[in-house]
Amino acid sequence: MSKSGRPREFKDTAVIDAAVEVFWTNGYEACSTDDLCKQTGLGRGSLYNAFGSKHELYEQALRRYHEVGIQAQIELLEQEGPVKNCLRSLLEWEIPKGAEADSRGCLLINAAGERAKSDPVVEKIFKQHVGLLEQAIWNAIRRGQETGEISKEKTTEELAGMFLSSYYGLRVIFPATMDYALAERMIDGILNSIF
């Protein structure tokens, strides 16, 4: 317990969430310790005492982003009702509108593009995220094939792989363009290729 009587993990979670925002906005290389201190409210000494290094905080930020994001995506895919609606919900989840619109894209995709080839931690977290998401997509498509909503003409693996690659394409293209009409055409095209 901390001196305030609150479990330390609560404080750490708030600090990690603040760090997520800094790394998400700036990327790893352009993120300074001063940026992290300002956003988290911790002094330089406290930050390093709590997390050891900028890279260790980055790892925890990526893990936190992964855990929250994968849970949200899996919940969308496991909703009751037609599988088409579940898959559409997942695709539309990436296209926030209004005040929630964000051109930063996905922190994990950004991290993989920036550091996966040189940073085994980033590579591991990204692969774990993609693997869990692919399995959840596979499960949803299999469910649709078993109910007759999706044809069995193509294998579950083929459809899941195609959906996953299209979904990640959308997750790269939309933040870069913020083109809602293009995103809607992409979503319709992805779903029409399966149903």
PDB file of all heavy atoms in Angstrom, residues 160-190:
ATOM      1  N   ALA A 160     -10.492 -15.902 -42.264  1.00  0.00           N
ATOM      2  CA  ALA A 160      -9.967 -15.179 -41.102  1.00  0.00           C
ATOM      3  C   ALA A 160      -8.715 -14.394 -41.489  1.00  0.00           C
ATOM      4  O   ALA A 160      -8.545 -13.237 -41.077  1.00  0.00           O
ATOM      5  CB  ALA A 160      -9.671 -16.144 -39.957  1.00  0.00           C
ATOM      6  N   GLY A 161      -7.838 -15.005 -42.276  1.00  0.00           N
ATOM      7  CA  GLY A 161      -6.626 -14.315 -42.722  1.00  0.00           C
ATOM      8  C   GLY A 161      -6.944 -13.120 -43.598  1.00  0.00           C
ATOM      9  O   GLY A 161      -6.338 -12.045 -43.455  1.00  0.00           O
ATOM     10  N   MET A 162      -7.913 -13.285 -44.513  1.00  0.00           N
ATOM     11  CA  MET A 162      -8.310 -12.190 -45.395  1.00  0.00           C
ATOM     12  C   MET A 162      -8.923 -11.053 -44.577  1.00  0.00           C
ATOM     13  O   MET A 162      -8.590  -9.878 -44.772  1.00  0.00           O
ATOM     14  CB  MET A 162      -9.313 -12.703 -46.432  1.00  0.00           C
ATOM     15  CG  MET A 162      -9.695 -11.681 -47.496  1.00  0.00           C
ATOM     16  SD  MET A 162     -11.013 -10.521 -47.031  1.00  0.00           S
ATOM     17  CE  MET A 162     -12.356 -11.612 -46.649  1.00  0.00           C
ATOM     18  N   PHE A 163      -9.787 -11.399 -43.614  1.00  0.00           N
ATOM     19  CA  PHE A 163     -10.421 -10.370 -42.792  1.00  0.00           C
ATOM     20  C   PHE A 163      -9.370  -9.632 -41.964  1.00  0.00           C
ATOM     21  O   PHE A 163      -9.380  -8.404 -41.881  1.00  0.00           O
ATOM     22  CB  PHE A 163     -11.489 -10.978 -41.883  1.00  0.00           C
ATOM     23  CG  PHE A 163     -12.250  -9.942 -41.099  1.00  0.00           C
ATOM     24  CD1 PHE A 163     -13.417  -9.397 -41.604  1.00  0.00           C
ATOM     25  CD2 PHE A 163     -11.797  -9.500 -39.864  1.00  0.00           C
ATOM     26  CE1 PHE A 163     -14.116  -8.418 -40.901  1.00  0.00           C
ATOM     27  CE2 PHE A 163     -12.481  -8.526 -39.146  1.00  0.00           C
ATOM     28  CZ  PHE A 163     -13.651  -7.981 -39.674  1.00  0.00           C
ATOM     29  N   LEU A 164      -8.465 -10.384 -41.359  1.00  0.00           N
ATOM     30  CA  LEU A 164      -7.429  -9.776 -40.523  1.00  0.00           C
ATOM     31  C   LEU A 164      -6.580  -8.800 -41.321  1.00  0.00           C
ATOM     32  O   LEU A 164      -6.326  -7.671 -40.879  1.00  0.00           O
ATOM     33  CB  LEU A 164      -6.545 -10.868 -39.904  1.00  0.00           C
ATOM     34  CG  LEU A 164      -5.424 -10.383 -38.986  1.00  0.00           C
ATOM     35  CD1 LEU A 164      -5.993  -9.787 -37.706  1.00  0.00           C
ATOM     36  CD2 LEU A 164      -4.478 -11.540 -38.660  1.00  0.00           C
ATOM     37  N   SER A 165      -6.139  -9.208 -42.511  1.00  0.00           N
ATOM     38  CA  SER A 165      -5.296  -8.313 -43.312  1.00  0.00           C
ATOM     39  C   SER A 165      -6.083  -7.083 -43.761  1.00  0.00           C
ATOM     40  O   SER A 165      -5.550  -5.964 -43.761  1.00  0.00           O
ATOM     41  CB  SER A 165      -4.695  -9.052 -44.518  1.00  0.00           C
ATOM     42  OG  SER A 165      -5.710  -9.454 -45.405  1.00  0.00           O
ATOM     43  N   SER A 166      -7.357  -7.258 -44.095  1.00  0.00           N
ATOM     44  CA  SER A 166      -8.192  -6.122 -44.500  1.00  0.00           C
ATOM     45  C   SER A 166      -8.435  -5.181 -43.327  1.00  0.00           C
ATOM     46  O   SER A 166      -8.415  -3.952 -43.483  1.00  0.00           O
ATOM     47  CB  SER A 166      -9.533  -6.620 -45.046  1.00  0.00           C
ATOM     48  OG  SER A 166      -9.341  -7.432 -46.181  1.00  0.00           O
ATOM     49  N   TYR A 167      -8.651  -5.755 -42.166  1.00  0.00           N
ATOM     50  CA  TYR A 167      -8.873  -4.961 -40.956  1.00  0.00           C
ATOM     51  C   TYR A 167      -7.644  -4.117 -40.637  1.00  0.00           C
ATOM     52  O   TYR A 167      -7.752  -2.915 -40.348  1.00  0.00           O
ATOM     53  CB  TYR A 167      -9.198  -5.913 -39.802  1.00  0.00           C
ATOM     54  CG  TYR A 167      -9.387  -5.262 -38.444  1.00  0.00           C
ATOM     55  CD1 TYR A 167     -10.374  -4.310 -38.235  1.00  0.00           C
ATOM     56  CD2 TYR A 167      -8.588  -5.629 -37.366  1.00  0.00           C
ATOM     57  CE1 TYR A 167     -10.566  -3.738 -36.977  1.00  0.00           C
ATOM     58  CE2 TYR A 167      -8.772  -5.062 -36.117  1.00  0.00           C
ATOM     59  CZ  TYR A 167      -9.762  -4.115 -35.927  1.00  0.00           C
ATOM     60  OH  TYR A 167      -9.946  -3.559 -34.684  1.00  0.00           O
ATOM     61  N   TYR A 168      -6.465  -4.712 -40.731  1.00  0.00           N
ATOM     62  CA  TYR A 168      -5.249  -3.946 -40.470  1.00  0.00           C
ATOM     63  C   TYR A 168      -4.992  -2.917 -41.564  1.00  0.00           C
ATOM     64  O   TYR A 168      -4.473  -1.828 -41.294  1.00  0.00           O
ATOM     65  CB  TYR A 168      -4.051  -4.872 -40.235  1.00  0.00           C
ATOM     66  CG  TYR A 168      -3.955  -5.245 -38.778  1.00  0.00           C
ATOM     67  CD1 TYR A 168      -4.552  -6.401 -38.294  1.00  0.00           C
ATOM     68  CD2 TYR A 168      -3.331  -4.403 -37.870  1.00  0.00           C
ATOM     69  CE1 TYR A 168      -4.512  -6.713 -36.943  1.00  0.00           C
ATOM     70  CE2 TYR A 168      -3.286  -4.707 -36.520  1.00  0.00           C
ATOM     71  CZ  TYR A 168      -3.878  -5.868 -36.063  1.00  0.00           C
ATOM     72  OH  TYR A 168      -3.853  -6.158 -34.729  1.00  0.00           O
ATOM     73  N   GLY A 169      -5.379  -3.224 -42.783  1.00  0.00           N
ATOM     74  CA  GLY A 169      -5.293  -2.218 -43.846  1.00  0.00           C
ATOM     75  C   GLY A 169      -6.151  -1.009 -43.522  1.00  0.00           C
ATOM     76  O   GLY A 169      -5.715   0.142 -43.657  1.00  0.00           O
ATOM     77  N   LEU A 170      -7.358  -1.268 -43.061  1.00  0.00           N
ATOM     78  CA  LEU A 170      -8.268  -0.194 -42.658  1.00  0.00           C
ATOM     79  C   LEU A 170      -7.667   0.608 -41.511  1.00  0.00           C
ATOM     80  O   LEU A 170      -7.744   1.842 -41.485  1.00  0.00           O
ATOM     81  CB  LEU A 170      -9.613  -0.798 -42.249  1.00  0.00           C
ATOM     82  CG  LEU A 170     -10.687   0.167 -41.755  1.00  0.00           C
ATOM     83  CD1 LEU A 170     -11.129   1.125 -42.853  1.00  0.00           C
ATOM     84  CD2 LEU A 170     -11.895  -0.628 -41.239  1.00  0.00           C
ATOM     85  N   ARG A 171      -7.027  -0.096 -40.573  1.00  0.00           N
ATOM     86  CA  ARG A 171      -6.462   0.565 -39.387  1.00  0.00           C
ATOM     87  C   ARG A 171      -5.250   1.428 -39.736  1.00  0.00           C
ATOM     88  O   ARG A 171      -4.865   2.287 -38.945  1.00  0.00           O
ATOM     89  CB  ARG A 171      -6.095  -0.464 -38.328  1.00  0.00           C
ATOM     90  CG  ARG A 171      -7.318  -1.201 -37.800  1.00  0.00           C
ATOM     91  CD  ARG A 171      -7.017  -2.019 -36.593  1.00  0.00           C
ATOM     92  NE  ARG A 171      -6.908  -1.119 -35.444  1.00  0.00           N
ATOM     93  CZ  ARG A 171      -6.609  -1.537 -34.216  1.00  0.00           C
ATOM     94  NH1 ARG A 171      -6.371  -2.808 -33.990  1.00  0.00           N
ATOM     95  NH2 ARG A 171      -6.536  -0.678 -33.232  1.00  0.00           N
ATOM     96  N   VAL A 172      -4.648   1.207 -40.893  1.00  0.00           N
ATOM     97  CA  VAL A 172      -3.547   2.058 -41.351  1.00  0.00           C
ATOM     98  C   VAL A 172      -4.078   3.176 -42.251  1.00  0.00           C
ATOM     99  O   VAL A 172      -3.704   4.342 -42.102  1.00  0.00           O
ATOM    100  CB  VAL A 172      -2.486   1.222 -42.112  1.00  0.00           C
ATOM    101  CG1 VAL A 172      -1.465   2.125 -42.795  1.00  0.00           C
ATOM    102  CG2 VAL A 172      -1.798   0.257 -41.150  1.00  0.00           C
ATOM    103  N   ILE A 173      -4.980   2.844 -43.152  1.00  0.00           N
ATOM    104  CA  ILE A 173      -5.452   3.812 -44.141  1.00  0.00           C
ATOM    105  C   ILE A 173      -6.331   4.894 -43.519  1.00  0.00           C
ATOM    106  O   ILE A 173      -6.160   6.083 -43.814  1.00  0.00           O
ATOM    107  CB  ILE A 173      -6.189   3.089 -45.291  1.00  0.00           C
ATOM    108  CG1 ILE A 173      -5.176   2.285 -46.120  1.00  0.00           C
ATOM    109  CG2 ILE A 173      -6.951   4.081 -46.180  1.00  0.00           C
ATOM    110  CD1 ILE A 173      -5.797   1.347 -47.129  1.00  0.00           C
ATOM    111  N   PHE A 174      -7.266   4.505 -42.642  1.00  0.00           N
ATOM    112  CA  PHE A 174      -8.185   5.525 -42.130  1.00  0.00           C
ATOM    113  C   PHE A 174      -7.489   6.632 -41.347  1.00  0.00           C
ATOM    114  O   PHE A 174      -7.706   7.817 -41.623  1.00  0.00           O
ATOM    115  CB  PHE A 174      -9.322   4.917 -41.298  1.00  0.00           C
ATOM    116  CG  PHE A 174     -10.199   5.981 -40.706  1.00  0.00           C
ATOM    117  CD1 PHE A 174     -11.078   6.693 -41.511  1.00  0.00           C
ATOM    118  CD2 PHE A 174     -10.110   6.327 -39.371  1.00  0.00           C
ATOM    119  CE1 PHE A 174     -11.861   7.721 -40.994  1.00  0.00           C
ATOM    120  CE2 PHE A 174     -10.880   7.339 -38.839  1.00  0.00           C
ATOM    121  CZ  PHE A 174     -11.766   8.047 -39.655  1.00  0.00           C
ATOM    122  N   PRO A 175      -6.639   6.321 -40.364  1.00  0.00           N
ATOM    123  CA  PRO A 175      -6.007   7.419 -39.625  1.00  0.00           C
ATOM    124  C   PRO A 175      -5.143   8.318 -40.509  1.00  0.00           C
ATOM    125  O   PRO A 175      -5.002   9.510 -40.242  1.00  0.00           O
ATOM    126  CB  PRO A 175      -5.145   6.710 -38.573  1.00  0.00           C
ATOM    127  CG  PRO A 175      -5.671   5.340 -38.490  1.00  0.00           C
ATOM    128  CD  PRO A 175      -6.263   5.025 -39.822  1.00  0.00           C
ATOM    129  N   ALA A 176      -4.574   7.734 -41.563  1.00  0.00           N
ATOM    130  CA  ALA A 176      -3.717   8.515 -42.452  1.00  0.00           C
ATOM    131  C   ALA A 176      -4.519   9.437 -43.360  1.00  0.00           C
ATOM    132  O   ALA A 176      -4.027  10.479 -43.789  1.00  0.00           O
ATOM    133  CB  ALA A 176      -2.839   7.585 -43.291  1.00  0.00           C
ATOM    134  N   THR A 177      -5.775   9.057 -43.644  1.00  0.00           N
ATOM    135  CA  THR A 177      -6.596   9.845 -44.575  1.00  0.00           C
ATOM    136  C   THR A 177      -7.764  10.555 -43.894  1.00  0.00           C
ATOM    137  O   THR A 177      -8.232  11.573 -44.398  1.00  0.00           O
ATOM    138  CB  THR A 177      -7.191   8.941 -45.667  1.00  0.00           C
ATOM    139  OG1 THR A 177      -8.090   7.988 -45.065  1.00  0.00           O
ATOM    140  CG2 THR A 177      -6.096   8.218 -46.450  1.00  0.00           C
ATOM    141  N   MET A 178      -8.259   9.991 -42.797  1.00  0.00           N
ATOM    142  CA  MET A 178      -9.475  10.468 -42.129  1.00  0.00           C
ATOM    143  C   MET A 178     -10.620  10.602 -43.146  1.00  0.00           C
ATOM    144  O   MET A 178     -11.459  11.482 -43.061  1.00  0.00           O
ATOM    145  CB  MET A 178      -9.231  11.789 -41.401  1.00  0.00           C
ATOM    146  CG  MET A 178      -8.201  11.697 -40.281  1.00  0.00           C
ATOM    147  SD  MET A 178      -8.621  10.535 -38.958  1.00  0.00           S
ATOM    148  CE  MET A 178      -9.860  11.459 -38.065  1.00  0.00           C
ATOM    149  N   ASP A 179     -10.642   9.687 -44.105  1.00  0.00           N
ATOM    150  CA  ASP A 179     -11.643   9.699 -45.182  1.00  0.00           C
ATOM    151  C   ASP A 179     -12.747   8.697 -44.831  1.00  0.00           C
ATOM    152  O   ASP A 179     -12.594   7.491 -45.021  1.00  0.00           O
ATOM    153  CB  ASP A 179     -10.959   9.335 -46.510  1.00  0.00           C
ATOM    154  CG  ASP A 179     -11.884   9.447 -47.712  1.00  0.00           C
ATOM    155  OD1 ASP A 179     -13.111   9.290 -47.556  1.00  0.00           O
ATOM    156  OD2 ASP A 179     -11.363   9.671 -48.817  1.00  0.00           O
ATOM    157  N   TYR A 180     -13.869   9.225 -44.317  1.00  0.00           N
ATOM    158  CA  TYR A 180     -14.959   8.364 -43.863  1.00  0.00           C
ATOM    159  C   TYR A 180     -15.630   7.629 -45.021  1.00  0.00           C
ATOM    160  O   TYR A 180     -16.027   6.473 -44.878  1.00  0.00           O
ATOM    161  CB  TYR A 180     -15.995   9.178 -43.086  1.00  0.00           C
ATOM    162  CG  TYR A 180     -15.488   9.615 -41.733  1.00  0.00           C
ATOM    163  CD1 TYR A 180     -14.913  10.867 -41.551  1.00  0.00           C
ATOM    164  CD2 TYR A 180     -15.566   8.767 -40.636  1.00  0.00           C
ATOM    165  CE1 TYR A 180     -14.424  11.261 -40.310  1.00  0.00           C
ATOM    166  CE2 TYR A 180     -15.084   9.149 -39.397  1.00  0.00           C
ATOM    167  CZ  TYR A 180     -14.520  10.396 -39.232  1.00  0.00           C
ATOM    168  OH  TYR A 180     -14.029  10.780 -38.005  1.00  0.00           O
ATOM    169  N   ALA A 181     -15.765   8.290 -46.166  1.00  0.00           N
ATOM    170  CA  ALA A 181     -16.397   7.643 -47.319  1.00  0.00           C
ATOM    171  C   ALA A 181     -15.564   6.451 -47.780  1.00  0.00           C
ATOM    172  O   ALA A 181     -16.104   5.372 -48.073  1.00  0.00           O
ATOM    173  CB  ALA A 181     -16.587   8.647 -48.458  1.00  0.00           C
ATOM    174  N   LEU A 182     -14.258   6.635 -47.838  1.00  0.00           N
ATOM    175  CA  LEU A 182     -13.375   5.521 -48.219  1.00  0.00           C
ATOM    176  C   LEU A 182     -13.471   4.401 -47.194  1.00  0.00           C
ATOM    177  O   LEU A 182     -13.549   3.220 -47.564  1.00  0.00           O
ATOM    178  CB  LEU A 182     -11.931   6.020 -48.327  1.00  0.00           C
ATOM    179  CG  LEU A 182     -10.860   4.942 -48.574  1.00  0.00           C
ATOM    180  CD1 LEU A 182     -11.116   4.191 -49.869  1.00  0.00           C
ATOM    181  CD2 LEU A 182      -9.465   5.571 -48.562  1.00  0.00           C
ATOM    182  N   ALA A 183     -13.498   4.745 -45.919  1.00  0.00           N
ATOM    183  CA  ALA A 183     -13.593   3.724 -44.870  1.00  0.00           C
ATOM    184  C   ALA A 183     -14.883   2.923 -45.015  1.00  0.00           C
ATOM    185  O   ALA A 183     -14.864   1.691 -44.890  1.00  0.00           O
ATOM    186  CB  ALA A 183     -13.523   4.377 -43.493  1.00  0.00           C
ATOM    187  N   GLU A 184     -15.974   3.587 -45.290  1.00  0.00           N
ATOM    188  CA  GLU A 184     -17.258   2.875 -45.457  1.00  0.00           C
ATOM    189  C   GLU A 184     -17.212   1.950 -46.665  1.00  0.00           C
ATOM    190  O   GLU A 184     -17.715   0.829 -46.614  1.00  0.00           O
ATOM    191  CB  GLU A 184     -18.419   3.871 -45.590  1.00  0.00           C
ATOM    192  CG  GLU A 184     -18.799   4.556 -44.291  1.00  0.00           C
ATOM    193  CD  GLU A 184     -19.166   3.581 -43.167  1.00  0.00           C
ATOM    194  OE1 GLU A 184     -19.815   2.549 -43.449  1.00  0.00           O
ATOM    195  OE2 GLU A 184     -18.790   3.843 -42.018  1.00  0.00           O
ATOM    196  N   ARG A 185     -16.589   2.400 -47.758  1.00  0.00           N
ATOM    197  CA  ARG A 185     -16.456   1.521 -48.934  1.00  0.00           C
ATOM    198  C   ARG A 185     -15.599   0.316 -48.603  1.00  0.00           C
ATOM    199  O   ARG A 185     -15.890  -0.808 -49.022  1.00  0.00           O
ATOM    200  CB  ARG A 185     -15.859   2.296 -50.121  1.00  0.00           C
ATOM    201  CG  ARG A 185     -16.774   3.322 -50.728  1.00  0.00           C
ATOM    202  CD  ARG A 185     -16.326   3.788 -52.107  1.00  0.00           C
ATOM    203  NE  ARG A 185     -14.971   4.318 -52.148  1.00  0.00           N
ATOM    204  CZ  ARG A 185     -14.640   5.574 -51.870  1.00  0.00           C
ATOM    205  NH1 ARG A 185     -15.571   6.441 -51.511  1.00  0.00           N
ATOM    206  NH2 ARG A 185     -13.380   5.980 -51.966  1.00  0.00           N
ATOM    207  N   MET A 186     -14.539   0.541 -47.859  1.00  0.00           N
ATOM    208  CA  MET A 186     -13.676  -0.576 -47.460  1.00  0.00           C
ATOM    209  C   MET A 186     -14.429  -1.566 -46.587  1.00  0.00           C
ATOM    210  O   MET A 186     -14.345  -2.775 -46.787  1.00  0.00           O
ATOM    211  CB  MET A 186     -12.440  -0.057 -46.727  1.00  0.00           C
ATOM    212  CG  MET A 186     -11.467   0.694 -47.609  1.00  0.00           C
ATOM    213  SD  MET A 186     -10.040   1.326 -46.676  1.00  0.00           S
ATOM    214  CE  MET A 186      -9.165  -0.210 -46.312  1.00  0.00           C
ATOM    215  N   ILE A 187     -15.176  -1.070 -45.615  1.00  0.00           N
ATOM    216  CA  ILE A 187     -15.945  -1.941 -44.720  1.00  0.00           C
ATOM    217  C   ILE A 187     -16.948  -2.759 -45.514  1.00  0.00           C
ATOM    218  O   ILE A 187     -17.060  -3.985 -45.332  1.00  0.00           O
ATOM    219  CB  ILE A 187     -16.634  -1.106 -43.618  1.00  0.00           C
ATOM    220  CG1 ILE A 187     -15.582  -0.579 -42.633  1.00  0.00           C
ATOM    221  CG2 ILE A 187     -17.695  -1.933 -42.888  1.00  0.00           C
ATOM    222  CD1 ILE A 187     -16.105   0.450 -41.650  1.00  0.00           C
ATOM    223  N   ASP A 188     -17.688  -2.099 -46.400  1.00  0.00           N
ATOM    224  CA  ASP A 188     -18.671  -2.835 -47.218  1.00  0.00           C
ATOM    225  C   ASP A 188     -17.984  -3.880 -48.083  1.00  0.00           C
ATOM    226  O   ASP A 188     -18.448  -5.020 -48.205  1.00  0.00           O
ATOM    227  CB  ASP A 188     -19.462  -1.862 -48.093  1.00  0.00           C
ATOM    228  CG  ASP A 188     -20.449  -1.005 -47.292  1.00  0.00           C
ATOM    229  OD1 ASP A 188     -20.772  -1.376 -46.137  1.00  0.00           O
ATOM    230  OD2 ASP A 188     -20.876   0.033 -47.821  1.00  0.00           O
ATOM    231  N   GLY A 189     -16.839  -3.529 -48.662  1.00  0.00           N
ATOM    232  CA  GLY A 189     -16.118  -4.474 -49.518  1.00  0.00           C
ATOM    233  C   GLY A 189     -15.600  -5.680 -48.729  1.00  0.00           C
ATOM    234  O   GLY A 189     -15.685  -6.818 -49.205  1.00  0.00           O
ATOM    235  N   ILE A 190     -15.083  -5.427 -47.544  1.00  0.00           N
ATOM    236  CA  ILE A 190     -14.582  -6.524 -46.692  1.00  0.00           C
ATOM    237  C   ILE A 190     -15.721  -7.490 -46.374  1.00  0.00           C
ATOM    238  O   ILE A 190     -15.592  -8.710 -46.504  1.00  0.00           O
ATOM    239  CB  ILE A 190     -13.949  -5.970 -45.405  1.00  0.00           C
ATOM    240  CG1 ILE A 190     -12.667  -5.191 -45.707  1.00  0.00           C
ATOM    241  CG2 ILE A 190     -13.645  -7.111 -44.419  1.00  0.00           C
ATOM    242  CD1 ILE A 190     -12.181  -4.298 -44.565  1.00  0.00           C
TER     243      ILE A 190
END
